[in-house]
């Protein structure tokens, strides 16, 4: 019995130390860089820290970040004071350094539903962040956007922390692209169709690409403006159709503004049934006439 007591004591001590070390590592976050925080926990994930830097010239970081709901391109509110401060400092840095471009790359996965005007949800998130920075005074021409699809994105309670990464480079303006966009959209405005008495819309892949090009043009062409012009079929009175067409044009303007387009750069008009594209004698023709045309002024 005397010989077994030291062995038993040592075994119990080892077991206690092993359990204690495992518990500490699990609950203190020391080995949990990529772990998911439980509700109410303060442990940070790898994307929970906002970091925006231009080498040693500018560094902004905070142990919090933007958060996006699944299939949502608008970040959640409210923002913490630290996150707001980092984006404010970033906007100030861009204003003071006209030769620098900030590239925002948004993340998304293919399982998310894209409800934006952009080709994918990553671009929509990037442009939403861009709109926040321009709202703080950053020049739109100094902010580029891109997207990366990542199917291993981690959502906690259907919420993505971070949603984007940031990098700086020298300012470059693609004048050839601006010329091509202007020529194409002047000749072929983006046409959005509406059901009878409806103001909702859905976009094709080509229309999403066209809207991305339009935003690039508005951001990089000094003094540029877009037009949103509503039209109807000939069902109903002139007064009603004129009002309805104006409402549809305003709806598209608001829809574009929600997606990061500067509303002050969009001129609206309602033409009623005065400018039909097709005959109003058939349902097919009337459907083509219920539209909003978005182009370049």
């Amino acid at each position: 019995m005397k010989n077994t007591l030291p062995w038993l004591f040592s075994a119990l001590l080892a077991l206690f130390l092993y359990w204690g070390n495992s518990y500490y590592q699990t609950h203190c976050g020391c080995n949990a860089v990529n772990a998911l925080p439980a509700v109410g926990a303060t442990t940070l994930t790898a994307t929970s820290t906002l970091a925006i830097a231009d080498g040693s010239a500018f560094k902004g970081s905070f142990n919090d970040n933007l958060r996006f709901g699944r299939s949502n391109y608008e970040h959640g509110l409210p923002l913490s004071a630290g996150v707001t401060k980092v984006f404010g400092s970033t906007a100030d840095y861009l204003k003071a350094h006209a030769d620098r471009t900030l590239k925002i790359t948004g993340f998304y996965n293919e399982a998310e539903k894209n409800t934006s005007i952009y080709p994918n949800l990553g671009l929509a998130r990037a442009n939403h962040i861009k709109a926040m920075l321009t709202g703080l005074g950053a020049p739109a021409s100094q902010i580029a956007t891109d997207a990366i699809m990542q199917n291993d994105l981690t959502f906690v309670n259907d919420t993505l922390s971070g949603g984007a990464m940031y990098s700086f480079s020298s300012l470059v303006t693609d004048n050839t692209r601006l010329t091509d966009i202007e020529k194409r959209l002047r000749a072929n405005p983006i046409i959005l169709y509406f059901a009878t008495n409806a103001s909702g819309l859905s976009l094709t892949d080509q229309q999403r690409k066209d809207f991305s090009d339009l935003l690039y043009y508005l951001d990089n062409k000094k003094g540029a403006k877009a037009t949103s012009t509503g039209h109807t079929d000939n069902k109903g009175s002139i007064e009603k159709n004129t009002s309805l067409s104006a409402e549809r044009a305003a709806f598209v303007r608001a829809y574009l503004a929600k997606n990061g387009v500067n509303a002050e750069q969009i001129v609206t008009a309602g033409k009623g049934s005065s400018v039909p594209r097709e005959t109003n004698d058939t349902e097919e023709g009337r459907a083509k006439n219920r539209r909003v045309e978005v182009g370049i002024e």
Side-chain angles (χ1 to χ4, degrees):
M1 186 67 175
K2 291 181 179 179
N3 294 333
T4 60
L5 285 176
W7 175 87
L8 181 60
F9 177 80
S10 298
L12 289 172
L13 179 61
L15 181 62
F16 175 80
L17 291 174
Y18 174 80
W19 176 86
N21 185 57
S22 298
Y23 181 89
Y24 179 75
Q25 289 183 351
T26 300
H27 293 270
C28 79
C30 297
N31 294 332
V33 175
N34 295 313
L36 302 181
V39 176
T42 58
T43 302
L44 298 174
T45 67
T47 56
S48 291
T49 298
L50 174 63
I52 305 176
D54 189 8
S56 60
F58 170 78
K59 291 184 179 180
S61 66
F62 188 71
N63 287 337
D64 193 11
N65 213 329
L66 301 176
R67 289 177 173 80
F68 294 90
R70 191 185 300 274
S71 299
N72 198 327
Y73 59 86
E74 295 180 283
H75 64 72
L77 294 174
L79 297 182
S80 64
V83 168
T84 301
K85 182 178 179 180
V86 170
F87 281 111
S89 297
T90 302
D92 290 341
Y93 178 76
L94 286 169
K95 286 187 287 183
H97 296 79
D99 61 331
R100 303 301 285 167
T101 292
L102 173 65
K103 182 179 180 181
I104 306 171
T105 302
F107 302 134
Y108 71 105
N109 69 36
E110 59 184 350
E112 294 185 271
K113 182 180 179 181
N114 181 17
T115 58
S116 74
I117 65 171
Y118 301 99
N120 58 66
L121 206 58
L123 272 176
R125 285 170 175 154
N127 277 286
H128 182 70
I129 298 171
K130 176 179 179 177
M132 179 173 60
L133 285 167
T134 57
L136 293 170
S141 59
Q142 287 178 244
I143 306 175
T145 58
D146 202 353
I148 294 177
M149 184 181 74
Q150 288 188 310
N151 285 329
D152 60 347
L153 286 178
T154 298
F155 288 82
V156 181
N157 297 327
D158 282 332
T159 300
L160 174 66
S161 180
M165 64 181 182
Y166 309 86
S167 61
F168 280 90
S169 63
S170 298
L171 180 65
V172 176
T173 301
D174 188 346
N175 290 319
T176 300
R177 183 183 178 191
L178 288 175
T179 300
D180 290 344
I181 292 172
E182 181 171 7
K183 181 179 179 181
R184 175 162 51 86
L185 292 184
R186 284 195 187 282
N188 300 291
I190 305 167
I191 300 177
L192 307 171
Y193 293 107
F194 291 78
T196 302
N197 295 323
S199 59
L201 57 89
S202 60
L203 303 177
T204 66
D205 290 343
Q206 182 59 51
Q207 287 172 332
R208 294 181 193 278
K209 180 183 182 303
D210 289 340
F211 276 127
S212 292
D213 287 342
L214 177 62
L215 180 60
Y216 179 85
Y217 179 83
L218 293 175
D219 284 345
N220 291 280
K221 182 78 170 183
K222 187 175 181 179
K225 288 187 178 293
T227 59
S228 175
T229 307
H231 303 270
T232 67
D233 58 28
N234 65 348
K235 296 291 185 180
S237 67
I238 293 176
E239 293 78 9
K240 179 181 177 181
N241 285 335
T242 301
S243 176
L244 179 59
S245 64
E247 289 174 4
R248 288 174 175 168
F251 169 81
V252 171
R253 180 178 184 263
Y255 184 72
L256 295 178
K258 183 181 178 183
N259 280 266
V261 181
N262 185 352
E264 294 181 359
Q265 291 180 277
I266 307 172
V267 179
T268 64
K271 299 292 186 180
S273 60
S274 63
V275 191
R277 286 178 62 88
E278 304 287 344
T279 178
N280 278 306
D281 294 335
T282 66
E283 177 51 40
E284 292 79 8
R286 289 191 292 272
K288 294 290 186 180
N289 292 331
R290 297 188 295 265
R291 70 196 190 279
V292 168
E293 298 186 5
V294 180
I296 292 174
E297 188 178 51

